[in-house]
Amino acid sequence: MSRKRQENWDRLQREYRRAVLAEYPNPERNGCPGAKALRDLVELSTRRGDVQKDPRWKHAVKCGPCYQEYIALRDLLFVG
């Protein structure tokens, strides 16, 4: 991927992360699957790739705290 494309992709992901936090703050963490479930989801997404039908994923993309935690776990486990 070119540097410009990577920068655009990174910017898009940051904007999406901000939007999820703003639209779905969930301060009480209602319905959250927990850290282990999110970690399992990260690992599953790297093996299979397609997690869109997984109920944990469906929750995470509509829950600011879970989405943040998912991204942090993904970055920790597979980027850094």
Side-chain angles (χ1 to χ4, degrees):
M1 183 180 294
S2 73
R3 181 179 175 166
K4 184 67 173 170
R5 278 189 177 176
Q6 184 64 48
E7 289 172 0
N8 286 339
W9 176 248
D10 292 345
R11 183 176 46 79
L12 179 64
Q13 286 191 332
R14 283 190 307 273
E15 290 298 320
Y16 183 77
R17 192 180 311 180
R18 280 194 283 267
V20 170
L21 280 170
E23 293 297 317
Y24 307 105
N26 197 6
E28 274 81 42
R29 304 291 304 255
N30 294 324
C32 296
K36 180 170 179 351
L38 292 172
R39 183 184 183 104
D40 291 347
L41 186 62
V42 168
E43 291 172 358
L44 180 64
S45 71
T46 61
R47 288 193 310 268
R48 239 186 32 213
D50 182 18
V51 295
Q52 295 178 1
K53 293 180 180 173
D54 191 301
R56 297 169 297 185
W57 177 251
K58 289 179 179 184
H59 172 86
V61 296
K62 290 191 174 181
C63 174
C66 283
Y67 190 70
Q68 285 289 93
E69 191 171 348
Y70 172 85
I71 296 298
L73 286 166
R74 186 199 65 190
D75 291 350
L76 179 68
L77 293 172
F78 297 102
V79 175

